[in-house]
Amino acid sequence: MSDDEPDLELLALLRQHLRGKQTTSEEPETGVLEGAEYVYNNAIDCALDMRSCKNAAIAIYEQMQLKSYSPATWATHELHPKTKDEAALAFIFTMDLLNFSFWSEKSDADRFAIFYKDKRWTGYWSLVAALQRALEEGIPITDSHFWQDQEECTLDTLKRVFRSCTDEEMPLLEERLSCLREAGTVLYEKYQCSLANLIKAADGSAAALVNLLARDFDCFRDEHRYEGRRKPIRVLKRAQIFVADVWACFEGEGYGEFRDIDKITMFADYRIPQILNSLGCLGFSPLLDATVRDKKDIPSGSNWEMQLRGCSIWCVELIRREIKRQHPESKINAILMDFFLYDLIKEMEAAGQETIPHHRTRSIWY
C-alpha cells in the first residue's frame, strides 16, 4: 500500500470509535457525581480518610453479603408496597414527593410519631405508615387528581393524614401541600396524570428520569450554588431516590427496568454523613464538628451543607469503586449501599450507639 492510499481498516476502526463516542455522549447523565467531586476537591471543612474508606469497603461488602442485600430487600419491610403495579408506583411517587425533614428537637417520647398497626413509627417510616393508614381510611392520598382538588386536599386534610400520636405535628406541612399541588399540576399538564407516562418518557434510562423530574418539577430540583462554580451543584436526592425505589420495588423489571441504574448515586441527606463520620471515612473541621455535635442549624444551601452532602456522595462512590476493585463480579451499587448504611445508622440509633448526632438542616430537599 502506498502513502497515498487510505488504510481502510484504520478508517473503519476510527469510524467505530467515533460512533461509540457519539453513542456514549448521547446517553443521559445527571451530573450529580461530577458536582460531588467538585465539592470534594474544593472542600475545606469536610475531608475523606482514604484508609478508613478502604476498611469500610471491606466491612460493608462483608455485611451486605451476609445480609443478602439486593433490590428484593426493599419490599421485605412491612410498610413498603408488596405489589408491582401502578398503585405501587403511585405510592412510591407520593412517598418520595414528601420524603423530607422528619427530625425533631424534642425527645423520642415527645417527637412527631405515627401509631399504626400497633407500632409507633418515627422518621421516614412515620411518613410511610401515615400514607398506608390514609389509604385504609379511604383518603386517596396517592392520587394526583386528589392533589389538585383544592376543596378536598387541604391543609386540614394533611393534618388528618399525618396526625401524630404526640403533640408535635409533622414538620413543613404547608410545604408538603405545595409539593402535592405542584406535582398534580405537572402530571396533568405534561403526562396526562399518568406516572406510567412519566416513566415511559425516560425511555429506560434512570438518569433521564432523574433529569425529567428535575426539569419539570420545581420541588425535585435539588441543586445549589457552590464556591463560585458557574453551574449549580446537582444533588437531586429525592429525584434519585424515587428512581431507586421504583427499581427496588419492581426488582429491575417492568416500570423498574433501567439500563443505567448504576448512574444513581447515594441520596445525600443527614443520615449518611452521620454514619460515614462514625466509620471514620468523613471528617469535619473543628468548628463544623462542634456545630453538628451542638445540634445547631446549618442553613440549606450553605457552604457547610454543600460540603456535607457533596463529600458524602463522593465518599460512597469511592467506597463503591473499592468494592468493585476487590470484587469485580459484585452487583453492589450506590443505591444498595445507601439502603444498607441508612439501616445501619438506624440500628445504631436504636441501640444508643451513635457517636455523633446528624446535622440539622430544615428543608424540603431531604
Side-chain angles (χ1 to χ4, degrees):
M1 182 178 70
S2 70
D3 291 341
D4 295 331
E5 294 177 357
D7 186 332
L8 298 180
E9 289 186 3
L10 179 58
L11 284 173
L13 184 62
L14 285 170
R15 288 193 187 99
Q16 184 179 8
H17 173 67
L18 290 172
R19 280 199 299 271
K21 288 187 69 176
Q22 184 178 13
T23 301
T24 301
S25 66
E26 289 175 351
E27 279 294 293
E29 299 289 344
T30 67
V32 173
L33 206 55
E34 173 195 348
E37 184 178 16
Y38 180 89
V39 171
Y40 165 71
N41 286 335
N42 291 274
I44 57 174
D45 291 287
C46 289
L48 304 188
D49 184 291
M50 295 307 169
R51 184 178 297 274
S52 294
C53 287
K54 286 182 177 291
N55 292 336
I58 295 170
I60 289 170
Y61 177 79
E62 289 178 351
Q63 286 298 309
M64 290 182 72
Q65 293 297 108
L66 187 64
K67 296 182 178 182
S68 300
Y69 256 75
S70 73
T73 306
W74 187 90
T76 61
H77 195 283
E78 61 182 291
L79 293 182
H80 277 159
K82 301 298 182 288
T83 59
K84 293 177 172 58
D85 53 20
E86 289 199 39
L89 192 62
F91 189 95
I92 293 168
F93 186 78
T94 309
M95 182 176 76
D96 290 326
L97 194 59
L98 305 178
N99 185 2
F100 55 84
S101 200
F102 306 109
W103 59 270
S104 172
E105 300 286 3
K106 296 182 179 292
S107 68
D108 285 343
D110 297 326
R111 66 177 295 186
F112 168 77
I114 297 291
F115 192 77
Y116 175 67
K117 290 191 178 296
D118 299 322
K119 290 184 181 180
R120 186 176 182 274
W121 306 94
T122 60
Y124 161 76
W125 294 114
S126 67
L127 167 69
V128 188
L131 294 178
Q132 294 285 17
R133 182 179 65 183
L135 291 175
E136 289 183 5
E137 293 174 348
I139 302 173
I141 191 60
T142 62
D143 187 341
S144 64
H145 296 89
F146 176 70
W147 305 339
Q148 297 176 75
D149 190 332
Q150 298 193 23
E151 293 184 1
E152 292 294 326
C153 185
T154 64
L155 189 59
D156 285 339
T157 305
L158 289 199
K159 287 181 178 180
R160 171 168 173 74
V161 169
F162 297 111
R163 65 188 182 277
S164 176
C165 58
T166 71
D167 291 333
E168 185 179 38
E169 278 191 347
M170 176 180 269
L172 303 183
L173 268 180
E174 291 185 5
E175 288 80 355
R176 294 177 203 277
L177 179 59
S178 295
C179 289
L180 292 174
R181 287 264 193 272
E182 185 213 348
T185 300
V186 172
L187 286 173
Y188 171 76
E189 293 179 348
K190 293 182 178 291
Y191 299 102
Q192 297 79 50
C193 295
S194 169
L195 287 168
N197 286 344
L198 172 62
I199 300 287
K200 184 179 180 180
D203 193 27
S205 167
L209 183 51
V210 168
N211 291 338
L212 284 174
L213 290 167
R215 184 194 72 186
D216 293 341
F217 300 81
D218 290 346
C219 63
F220 278 115
R221 199 172 302 128
D222 178 12
E223 51 187 39
H224 313 273
R225 295 291 173 182
Y226 179 75
E227 288 296 302
R229 188 175 188 248
R230 292 182 65 183
K231 290 196 302 183
I233 300 295
R234 308 189 90 203
V235 184
L236 305 179
K237 185 263 185 180
R238 290 190 295 107
Q240 289 202 104
I241 204 170
F242 169 67
V243 176
D245 284 344
V246 171
W247 172 72
C249 176
F250 292 86
E251 296 185 50
E253 299 178 351
Y255 293 126
E257 183 177 357
F258 301 106
R259 63 180 177 274
D260 57 352
I261 192 62
D262 288 348
K263 287 184 179 179
I264 303 300
T265 70
M266 59 76 74
F267 320 118
D269 60 3
Y270 41 75
R271 285 300 190 178
I272 303 303
Q274 181 188 21
I275 185 62
L276 292 175
N277 180 269
S278 299
L279 293 172
C281 300
L282 178 63
F284 305 151
S285 67
L287 187 54
L288 177 55
D289 187 82
T291 300
V292 172
R293 291 182 185 278
D294 292 341
K295 301 181 181 180
K296 293 180 179 178
D297 179 65
I298 297 178
S300 177
S302 66
N303 189 286
W304 273 357
E305 194 224 13
M306 293 308 298
Q307 290 185 57
L308 285 165
R309 300 183 80 195
C311 289
S312 295
I313 294 172
W314 192 243
C315 184
V316 171
E317 172 62 14
L318 293 184
I319 294 172
R320 185 197 68 79
R321 291 179 184 182
E322 179 63 16
I323 291 174
K324 292 296 286 186
R325 187 187 69 80
Q326 295 179 12
H327 308 279
E329 78 291 348
S330 171
K331 297 187 181 301
I332 290 176
N333 58 22
I335 297 171
L336 295 176
M337 290 175 63
D338 185 286
F339 290 168
F340 170 79
L341 290 169
Y342 179 85
D343 288 347
L344 179 60
I345 192 61
K346 294 299 286 185
E347 290 171 8
M348 292 174 66
E349 179 186 41
Q353 297 174 344
E354 291 174 294
T355 60
I356 189 172
H358 65 75
H359 71 274
R360 262 56 177 181
T361 297
R362 186 71 76 188
S363 78
I364 72 166
W365 306 121
Y366 61 96

